[in-house]
Amino acid sequence: MTKGVATARPRAQARARLRGARRTRTALAVLLVAAIGSGCAAGADGAGGGPTSRPMPLPLDVRPITFPPAAPASKPALRPVPAKPAAGPQAAQAAQALGGPAGAVAAQADLLKRGQLARVALAKKWGLRKVPLLAPPPPAVKPKITTRKGFEVRGGDAGLPPVFTTVPVKDKVVFLTMDDGAEKDPELLRMMSELRIPYSAFLSDYLISDNYGYFKKAQNLGVSLNNHTLHHLYLPKLTPAQQRHEICDQQDKLAKHYGKRPTLFRPPFGNYNADTLRIAKACGVTAVPLWETEAFPDHMDWRDADQHLDPGDIILTHFRGRSDWKASMPDLIRSLLKRITDSGFAVAKLEDYV
């Protein structure tokens, strides 16, 4: 009896070790199937060019693969380290549907791809052959802006708002600005909003007073509204009191209708004198951006002889339409974006840098 019990114990222990080994191999097999499924999903999303089908989630009833029995490992199997889940509620929901951490990477790639496909579709909708490039994140610290050489005023510029035509940056970004406010094309608002092209408006009250609401819509879409005087007069010919009326009263008008006194001011025609800058500063202006080039539907007017875009260039255009240009505002933007994109530049928001 004692001998039989002694013989049975090793056999029971061997069977237990065999069952443990099989369980270990079963777990490893399931992990292997999951890894293969994730790799296929990542490969489908990573392909370039046209759309691809969404990666299929792993079936919930995957049967374990049984390997031939072998001696148990001397060390326990290591637990797999889960991948970092993708950020955002959409990615989290997609990751859950795709099967946990392995699906998170595929879900994030899927979201990015869907976003790019949407940008391609919107570019096509607005008649663009190329998708406009995305600007990099704005700098944590804004660059120091100084008055451009040759744009100084008599008596010195110490303490006065700087006058400049470019922003000192290294990234291939340019800044789009629009002046006056005569044309109020709703298609422009839709186009710029859908394509996510930032721009800054410099407004004259005599041109916008018939429809303040149009520019309120633009403001709600992220457009910055800045000062371009009340009546668009040639400031150097005015007395200081007249200049104060044109500049400071426009500050008050913009604050009344749009809730904010601008810090950016552009004098009409780009002309100013020392009184202009002193008065503008007294009314809350901190910078006077002019422009490096001016855009029209069929050509560009360049300030400098090189006649090409450089990092940080400020581009001027106007709120005009077919009565002035025989082209619409969307026509102008299509022509300008083609030039910007073909040159490898993106449009950034001026107020993020100044």
Side-chain angles (χ1 to χ4, degrees):
M1 183 67 179
T2 304
K3 182 179 179 181
V5 172
T7 303
R9 286 177 180 173
R11 292 178 180 175
Q13 292 173 354
R15 286 195 294 271
R17 287 196 297 269
L18 181 59
R19 286 194 297 272
R22 287 177 176 174
R23 283 196 295 270
T24 298
R25 285 158 176 75
T26 298
L28 290 173
V30 172
L31 288 175
L32 177 61
V33 172
I36 294 172
S38 300
C40 294
D45 277 2
T52 59
S53 60
R54 182 176 178 177
M56 295 295 293
L58 290 173
L60 299 179
D61 60 344
V62 174
R63 296 181 180 272
I65 301 174
T66 303
F67 291 88
S74 59
K75 295 183 179 180
L78 296 176
R79 293 183 179 180
V81 178
K84 184 179 180 180
Q90 290 180 321
Q93 294 172 3
Q96 184 177 4
L98 288 171
V105 175
Q108 184 69 16
D110 185 62
L111 289 175
L112 291 173
K113 186 169 186 177
R114 288 172 186 268
Q116 179 62 17
L117 290 175
R119 287 174 55 77
V120 171
L122 287 170
K124 183 177 180 180
K125 170 185 174 180
W126 290 105
L128 300 173
R129 298 186 65 181
K130 293 182 180 180
V131 178
L133 301 176
L134 291 173
V141 178
K142 294 181 179 181
K144 182 180 179 180
I145 307 293
T146 58
T147 293
R148 175 174 172 163
K149 185 177 180 179
F151 286 63
E152 303 89 349
V153 294
R154 291 182 179 179
D157 298 84
L160 295 179
V163 181
F164 54 100
T165 63
T166 64
V167 177
V169 298
K170 294 181 179 179
D171 293 323
K172 294 190 70 173
V173 297
V174 293
F175 305 97
L176 177 57
T177 63
M178 299 186 192
D179 278 11
D180 300 344
E183 183 74 11
K184 304 168 185 68
D185 188 347
E187 284 293 286
L188 173 71
L189 298 185
R190 282 192 286 271
M191 181 181 193
M192 302 299 272
S193 176
E194 290 184 5
L195 293 175
R196 298 185 180 182
I197 304 299
Y199 62 104
S200 304
F202 289 81
L203 304 176
S204 293
D205 188 70
Y206 85 106
L207 290 171
I208 69 171
S209 58
D210 64 334
N211 191 352
Y212 288 120
Y214 176 86
F215 294 98
K216 185 63 179 178
K217 293 178 182 177
Q219 184 186 43
N220 292 338
L221 292 171
V223 179
S224 298
L225 308 181
N226 301 296
N227 191 334
H228 200 42
T229 73
L230 287 174
H231 301 102
H232 205 274
L233 303 177
Y234 182 75
L235 295 179
K237 290 292 186 181
L238 303 182
T239 66
Q242 290 171 328
Q243 288 202 49
R244 183 175 298 278
H245 171 63
E246 283 294 317
I247 299 169
C248 299
D249 286 5
Q250 176 66 345
Q251 290 284 85
D252 295 339
K253 289 268 190 181
L254 293 171
K256 175 183 176 181
H257 292 286
Y258 305 113
K260 183 179 179 181
R261 292 172 68 85
T263 58
L264 303 185
F265 163 68
R266 177 175 285 163
F269 316 107
N271 296 118
Y272 58 94
N273 57 20
D275 287 336
T276 308
L277 299 183
R278 282 193 288 268
I279 291 167
K281 179 183 178 181
C283 295
V285 170
T286 60
V288 181
L290 298 184
W291 60 92
E292 185 64 25
T293 182
E294 183 174 358
F296 297 87
D298 58 350
H299 72 281
M300 304 279 283
D301 277 352
W302 304 90
R303 187 181 294 275
D304 293 327
D306 59 7
Q307 298 194 358
H308 63 74
L309 294 173
D310 291 305
D313 280 356
I314 299 173
I315 301 172
L316 162 68
T317 192
H318 292 81
F319 290 95
R320 302 283 172 83
R322 295 187 182 279
S323 59
D324 295 292
W325 285 337
K326 298 181 180 179
S328 67
M329 288 296 294
D331 291 335
L332 163 74
I333 296 301
R334 270 188 288 273
S335 174
L336 179 57
L337 286 179
K338 180 182 184 304
R339 181 182 293 271
I340 292 172
T341 305
D342 287 348
S343 301
F345 284 83
V347 180
K349 188 173 183 178
L350 181 62
E351 289 76 5
D352 286 342
Y353 291 76
V354 177

